[in-house]
Amino acid sequence: MKILISTDIEGVAGVTHAEQTRSGNPEYERARAWMTDEANAAIRGAFAGGASDVLVNDSHGGFRNLLLDRLDARAQTITGKPRYLGMMAGVEQDCDAVYMIGYHARAQTAGVLAHTINSLAFRSVRVNGTELGEAGLYGALAGEWGVPVALLSGDDVFLAETAPIFPGAIGVETKRAFGNAACTSLAPSRACALIEAAARAAVANVRALRAFTIAGPLECELTTQTPGQADLFCQWPQTRRIDGSTLRFGADSMQSLVRMLNCFSAMSFMLR
C-alpha cells in the first residue's frame, strides 16, 4: 500500500494568521515546524497501519516549507515548483490513497485563511457548475488516476465542505474557525496524536473508498478578485469573458484544468 500525503499549512493546528504562512519571519518558521510535525504524524500512522511506501508532497506556496532534516526518513519528499500536478504530484506514482494534511476551506467561506489557490486573484472556481476549493480540485485530479482521498485534516469549515465530496474519508479537526484569522485550536501535540491515529486507521479503510471524479467534458468558471485580473487572464485564447470579473474555459481533463488555473495564478503576479 502506497500513500501520498499532500501537506498544506493553513489548516495546521495553531496557524491562524497570514504572517504564519509567509517566509521571512519568525512566525512562519514556527508554523513550518508544526507543519512538519503533522506530516510526520501522518507518516508514522500510515506505516503503523501497514503502508509499504509513503510520499510526502510539500504543497504550500513555493512548495519548499517542510523541514526535510526533521522529516521521518522512511518517507520520500516531493518539493519545489513548478510541477504539472501541483499539490497532487506523486499521485501518478502508483499510489493507493491520498492524505490531505493541513488543508483549508475554499475562498469566500468563514474558514481560517480560506482561499482557493490564489487569495489575491481567485474569488471562486466552479467546475461544471459546482464550486470547489483546493481539496475538491486536487481530489478530482487524484480521481483521474483512480486514487481516493482517505484522510483530511484542517478546521471545521474545511471538514464540512469536503465531507460530501469524499464520503468515507476520515476527518481530523485541528481547530474551529471563528473567522478568517481567528480560531480555537488544539495544541500542536494533540493534533499530531489525532492525525497519527487517523492515518493508521485510514490505511485499513482504503479499499472501501471510491475516487472522486467529475464526468467530462469539463468547463471551469473562474471569478477573479478584480476586473483587471480577468483582463489579464483573457489574453489566453481559450478563455471566454462572461462579465467584468468572470471568465470560462474548457478542459479535456482535471489535469489540464488545474494546470490552467496554476498558469493564471502565476500570471497574476504581473499585477502586484
Side-chain angles (χ1 to χ4, degrees):
M1 177 83 57
K2 190 172 187 177
I3 303 296
L4 173 65
I5 300 173
S6 178
T7 58
D8 209 345
I9 201 169
E10 287 89 353
V12 168
V15 175
T16 190
H17 192 278
E19 188 173 272
Q20 293 173 288
T21 72
R22 298 170 182 160
S23 61
N25 64 82
E27 286 293 308
Y28 166 75
E29 294 302 326
R30 186 175 294 111
R32 74 191 295 209
W34 295 337
M35 178 186 181
T36 303
D37 290 342
E38 290 195 6
N40 275 330
I43 295 167
R44 289 193 302 270
F47 278 117
S52 57
D53 295 282
V54 174
L55 285 173
V56 181
N57 179 329
D58 188 329
S59 298
H60 172 68
F63 296 171
R64 294 182 293 113
N65 308 275
L66 294 170
L67 300 170
L68 301 189
D69 58 344
R70 286 181 44 180
L71 208 64
D72 191 314
R74 294 173 293 176
Q76 296 185 70
T77 310
I78 300 168
T79 184
K81 68 189 318 183
R83 1 172 159 128
Y84 289 160
L85 302 185
M87 298 176 77
M88 209 45 59
V91 73
E92 78 284 8
Q93 298 182 36
D94 297 319
C95 291
D96 295 286
V98 172
Y99 292 177
M100 294 181 171
I101 302 298
Y103 269 58
H104 52 81
R106 68 175 183 257
Q108 303 303 309
T109 66
V112 174
L113 299 172
H115 66 280
T116 302
I117 298 179
N118 185 323
S119 60
L120 297 179
F122 299 169
R123 185 173 179 84
S124 70
V125 177
R126 293 181 179 273
V127 179
N128 289 4
T130 299
E131 187 169 3
L132 296 173
E134 290 171 24
L137 291 165
Y138 280 101
L141 178 54
E144 291 190 337
W145 273 267
V147 181
V149 174
L151 173 64
L152 308 105
S153 74
D155 69 21
D156 58 316
V157 179
F158 167 70
L159 294 181
E161 172 189 316
T162 53
I165 303 174
F166 307 117
I170 299 173
V172 176
E173 184 181 299
T174 59
K175 52 197 171 190
R176 295 191 66 81
F178 290 100
N180 186 259
C183 70
T184 298
S185 177
L186 298 179
S189 60
R190 176 60 176 159
C192 286
L194 292 176
I195 289 170
E196 182 172 351
R200 179 172 183 168
V203 175
N205 194 41
V206 168
R207 301 303 181 197
L209 300 175
R210 296 184 63 182
F212 171 56
T213 59
I214 301 175
L218 302 177
E219 182 175 72
C220 180
E221 181 176 287
L222 172 64
T223 301
T224 62
Q225 296 286 7
T226 70
Q229 291 159 344
D231 291 342
L232 177 62
F233 301 159
C234 284
Q235 297 300 309
W236 200 289
Q238 288 178 251
T239 58
R240 307 190 310 279
R241 190 73 168 264
I242 305 304
D243 60 31
S245 297
T246 306
L247 58 97
R248 290 179 185 156
F249 64 90
D252 59 1
S253 67
M254 280 304 299
Q255 180 183 168
S256 295
L257 190 151
V258 168
R259 287 172 66 176
M260 282 281 287
L261 290 173
N262 286 330
C263 285
F264 290 150
S265 178
M267 288 168 65
S268 74
F269 282 86
M270 292 176 60
L271 301 180
R272 296 190 186 184

